[in-house]
């Protein structure tokens, strides 16, 4: 009879096992349950997942979801029967917020804490009808800004939904320098929403409690940056900047924003994307944009035109870069919605029967 595996060896083995396969391992014995917990705590901890929802462009908008687990570097298909259907298109905002908007209602789901939870918050539609707004959740308030239809009096109106009062409030309109731009990046840092014009780096912050806009701030870290996206990475406001121009991309770098906006701030370079990965994100077309999903210590980069590759950056003491094939790409009859969020072993256990390791 072979001797059982115990202690550090068992923990090391579990560190290489995908999270969805650790769930049944917890039920083998008390020793295995302890080893799984210890492995996740000290050897290879749970990391937030990237999720890609593919949705048919026509009603009833049937969707499928794939998740990427950077801890095990595997893709997971989230299966459901029947396939989930929505009455309108699902959109993403500031990496961890999904929402739908119709004249009849507004619904949103925050994936930051647990991406596997299926619950949506439903609310009445905002007073101003919008087609392409900036949307962000700041605490218990959801800000919907700009993107109004042409027949509205104020194309850049701002409304705030109070989740506790379950009511909309009209707020101050977007600043002039943001009006008219189709290239806006939105981030949530602390109790503020930040909106950045991607080609100039001009940024304003909005406080939904005091109903005040502050700025402008120049968040273009380098004058050679022609396109920048803001987000929160490892708890800090961060800028991803593409260097060069559309026809001659020289690189992509990450900078953290140090200090406080408005009272003196500076940039610290975190790392630069390897050139071979820049080529994968750039593709064969002129480089006009990049979608960045920020979640925890991870930044995910996808070219919205050529979606076959995902470049991943994990920030710790240094930046670790790798790329992975996007298993959700390839069907141009469907649109992709990218977001991310935390997971827990308990939620994986509840949803495991709907998961398929790819």
């Amino acid at each position: 009879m072979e001797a059982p595996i115990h202690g550090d060896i068992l923990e090391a083995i579990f560190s290489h096992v995908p999270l969805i396969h650790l769930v049944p391992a917890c039920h083998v014995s008390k020793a295995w349950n302890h080893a799984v917990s210890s492995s996740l705590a000290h050897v290879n901890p749970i990391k937030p997942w990237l999720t890609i929802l593919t949705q048919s462009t026509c009603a009833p908008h049937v969707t499928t979801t794939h998740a990427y687990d950077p801890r095990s570097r595997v893709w997971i298909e989230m299966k459901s029967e029947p396939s989930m259907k929505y009455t309108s298109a699902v959109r993403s905002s500031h990496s961890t917020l999904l929402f739908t908007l119709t004249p009849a209602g507004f619904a949103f789901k925050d994936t930051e804490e647990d991406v596997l939870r299926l619950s949506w918050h439903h609310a009445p539609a905002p007073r101003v009808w919008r087609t392409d707004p900036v949307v962000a959740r700041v605490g218990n308030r959801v800000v919907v800004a700009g993107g109004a239809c042409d027949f509205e009096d104020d194309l850049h109106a701002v409304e705030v939904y109070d989740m506790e009062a379950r009511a909309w409030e009209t707020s101050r309109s977007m600043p002039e320098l943001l009006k008219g731009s189709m290239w806006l990046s939105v981030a949530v840092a602390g109790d503020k929403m930040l909106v950045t014009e991607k080609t100039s780096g001009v940024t304003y912050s909005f406080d939904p409690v005091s109903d005040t806009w502050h700025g402008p701030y120049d968040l273009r870290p380098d004058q050679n940056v022609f396109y920048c996206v803001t987000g929160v990475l490892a708890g800090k406001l961060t800028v991803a900047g593409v260097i060069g121009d559309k026809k001659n991309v020289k690189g992509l770098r990450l900078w953290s924003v140090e200090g406080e906006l408005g009272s003196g701030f500076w940039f610290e370079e975190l790392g630069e994307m390897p050139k071979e990965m820049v080529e994968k994100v750039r593709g064969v077309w002129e480089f006009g944009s990049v979608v960045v999903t920020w979640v925890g210590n991870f930044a995910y980069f996808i070219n919205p035109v050529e979606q076959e590759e995902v470049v991943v950056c994990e920030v710790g003491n240094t930046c670790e870069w790798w790329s992975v094939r996007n298993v959700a790409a390839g069907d141009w009859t469907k649109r992709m919605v990218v977001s991310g969020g935390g997971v827990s072993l308990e939620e994986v256990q509840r949803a495991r029967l709907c998961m398929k390791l790819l």
Side-chain angles (χ1 to χ4, degrees):
M1 183 176 177
E2 296 182 359
I5 302 173
H6 293 294
D8 295 344
I9 296 177
L10 191 57
E11 293 175 12
I13 292 173
F14 285 148
S15 71
H16 297 282
V17 176
L19 195 62
I20 64 173
H21 293 330
L22 286 182
V23 172
C26 290
H27 300 287
V28 172
S29 65
K30 290 183 178 179
W32 277 42
N33 184 290
H34 180 270
V36 168
S37 299
S38 183
S39 180
L40 291 175
H42 305 295
V43 185
N44 190 7
I46 296 174
K47 298 175 180 179
W49 288 7
L50 174 76
T51 58
I52 300 180
L53 182 150
T54 54
Q55 184 177 42
S56 58
T57 55
C58 300
H61 300 293
V62 177
T63 66
T64 57
T65 302
H66 293 86
Y68 178 70
D69 176 6
R71 173 190 173 274
S72 307
R73 301 196 180 186
V74 296
W75 284 98
I76 298 161
E77 182 179 355
M78 308 292 292
K79 301 179 70 68
S80 60
E81 294 294 341
S83 296
M84 190 171 294
K85 301 177 182 180
Y86 294 89
T87 57
S88 64
V90 177
R91 310 181 210 179
S92 62
S93 183
H94 73 78
S95 301
T96 62
L97 187 72
L98 298 175
F99 70 94
T100 65
L101 178 62
T102 69
F106 174 67
F108 58 91
K109 171 186 173 184
D110 193 336
T111 63
E112 183 173 12
E113 294 182 357
D114 202 318
V115 74
L116 299 179
R117 291 180 181 172
L118 299 178
S119 58
W120 286 71
H121 187 108
H122 294 271
R127 300 181 183 92
V128 176
W129 174 231
R130 309 163 190 270
T131 56
D132 190 25
V134 166
V135 181
R137 178 179 173 180
V138 185
N140 286 324
R141 291 174 169 84
V142 179
V143 183
V144 180
C149 294
D150 292 340
F151 56 77
E152 294 287 353
D153 293 334
D154 184 359
L155 301 182
H156 312 286
V158 177
E159 294 175 85
V160 176
Y161 178 73
D162 188 321
M163 296 174 61
E164 294 181 352
R166 301 186 68 84
W168 289 96
E169 299 174 354
T170 301
S171 296
R172 296 188 181 184
S173 184
M174 296 175 70
E176 288 294 330
L177 289 179
L178 297 177
K179 294 179 179 179
S181 176
M182 300 295 292
W183 297 83
L184 297 179
S185 171
V186 59
V188 176
D191 58 356
K192 305 289 192 303
M193 175 185 79
L194 288 92
V195 182
T196 300
E197 207 287 320
K198 295 179 182 178
T199 58
S200 66
V202 170
T203 300
Y204 284 85
S205 67
F206 177 68
D207 184 338
V209 175
S210 63
D211 188 19
T212 53
W213 289 90
H214 297 279
Y217 311 110
D218 185 0
L219 289 191
R220 187 167 60 167
D222 188 301
Q223 292 304 306
N224 294 317
V225 170
F226 75 94
Y227 181 90
C228 56
V229 180
T230 53
V232 175
L233 182 62
K236 287 189 175 182
L237 180 62
T238 305
V239 180
V242 183
I243 300 170
D245 56 54
K246 290 183 179 180
K247 295 183 178 180
N248 183 23
V249 175
K250 297 181 179 179
L252 188 153
R253 297 177 186 172
L254 293 175
W255 289 268
S256 64
V257 180
E258 304 293 334
E260 296 292 332
L261 296 180
S263 60
F265 65 93
W266 66 98
F267 301 97
E268 294 286 349
E269 185 173 332
L270 297 175
E272 182 171 5
M273 183 183 290
K275 293 186 180 298
E276 64 272 16
M277 296 182 189
V278 173
E279 291 301 312
K280 289 183 177 182
V281 174
R282 184 176 70 87
V284 299
W285 306 99
E286 289 186 0
F287 194 90
S289 63
V290 61
V291 175
V292 187
T293 301
W294 316 82
V295 52
N297 287 16
F298 289 84
Y300 296 91
F301 303 83
I302 301 177
N303 185 324
V305 177
E306 298 186 37
Q307 306 168 339
E308 288 75 16
E309 201 78 16
V310 180
V311 172
V312 187
C313 176
E314 181 179 9
V315 174
N317 295 327
T318 60
C319 285
E320 181 182 0
W321 299 86
W322 72 89
S323 66
V324 60
R325 180 178 64 89
N326 181 2
V327 300
D331 188 347
W332 290 101
T333 66
K334 296 182 179 181
R335 52 190 297 275
M336 286 192 349
V337 184
V338 185
S339 63
V343 295
S344 65
L345 194 61
E346 292 75 19
E347 287 297 325
V348 171
Q349 181 173 359
R350 293 190 189 99
R352 190 173 66 89
L353 294 179
C354 298
M355 296 181 180
K356 176 184 176 182
L357 195 65
L358 299 180

